[in-house]
Amino acid sequence: LYILALDAINFCFWPCRNYPQENHINSLEYEHLAVALKKLAEIDDNNFTEDMSSYFFSPRRLAEMTEDSMRSSLEQHLAGHYLDNMKKRSELWREVGQVLLNHFDGSALKLIAQAGGSAPKLVELVFSHLPGFRDEVIESANRIVFLKRAQIFVGDINAALKLNLEGLDQLTTFADYRVPQILRHFDILEYSPTLGSAVDCGVEIEKDSCDEISIRAATVVGVEELVKVLNADDTLRNVGEPFNDVNVDWYL
């Protein structure tokens, strides 16, 4: 439940232009949110009860989450950082809670079990039941599907619970705005002069624009090619499990 709730709102970590305090640079990062949610989960652990519905991340509590209740619960654990998009994030939590209650008897484990040990099947289940995870766009009549957070959830839950899901190598890298930064730094991605200048000047790239779609798609292809190179390197054969798009994303 913690991982599902965290990955449902795993987006938009950058300096916020509308921070309540003037001239304050908000340095919120993913780890600040993850730690805040962890502290909420630990409060439940310290007040153990057989009644799961009283837990902060219980499907019933999530289904009833409001923008105000989310803000009041999180802000005390964010170490002074500001989390924006609270209205959207609370909507996503309500969706998670309602879907688990309506389709999986209020159990995140039943959602996972329905995948039958298949990573792609679990991505498909999250995609089909949770509209908030449907990361897709129509460009020139083409349907382009990235599924960033659905795949992050599957990668996270597989690692956290040691599920050993099959087909993990069929997932792509998580197409967000972090990985392309380092791929560009090492010349794996090359931007056009116009796009490069805009990014370097801090110009926000419009959501679902051709530029944003191109960066995300190129990131998927770039990591895919990097995985091939790593797995073909004889000096890395004894490092451990084979490289795939998920673990290479984590390395990057």
Side-chain angles (χ1 to χ4, degrees), residues 177-247:
Y177 48 88
R178 291 300 200 198
V179 172
Q181 293 174 11
I182 195 165
L183 294 184
R184 184 183 179 215
H185 176 77
F186 285 107
D187 296 325
I188 294 174
L189 293 187
E190 182 178 342
Y191 292 0
S192 69
T194 302
L195 177 58
S197 177
V199 171
D200 294 340
C201 292
V203 176
E204 186 171 324
I205 305 299
E206 184 179 351
K207 183 182 184 300
D208 296 338
S209 65
C210 183
D211 281 338
E212 189 207 48
I213 294 169
S214 297
I215 290 173
R216 300 186 77 195
T219 298
V220 170
V221 174
V223 172
E224 195 78 33
E225 293 300 314
L226 185 55
V227 167
K228 293 177 185 177
V229 171
L230 290 168
N231 283 327
D233 189 332
D234 290 337
T235 64
L236 298 175
R237 289 193 183 280
N238 297 321
V239 170
E241 63 183 42
F243 292 98
N244 57 49
D245 293 42
V246 173
N247 58 31

Side-chain angles (χ1 to χ4, degrees), residues 1 44 52-63 97 100 106:
L1 284 168
D44 288 338
M52 279 287 295
S53 64
S54 65
Y55 282 15
F56 186 83
F57 294 113
S58 72
R60 193 161 302 283
R61 287 280 297 274
L62 291 175
L100 290 177

Side-chain angles (χ1 to χ4, degrees), residues 1-5 52 57-59 62 96-97 99-101 103-115 122 125-126 153 157 161 163:
L1 284 168
Y2 161 78
I3 292 173
L4 188 55
M52 279 287 295
F57 294 113
S58 72
L62 291 175
V96 167
V99 166
L100 290 177
L101 289 169
H103 298 280
F104 300 97
D105 297 328
S107 171
L109 291 177
K110 287 193 175 182
L111 165 65
I112 296 168
Q114 276 200 22
L122 186 52
L125 282 167
V126 172
F153 168 69
I157 205 72
L161 301 185
L163 298 176

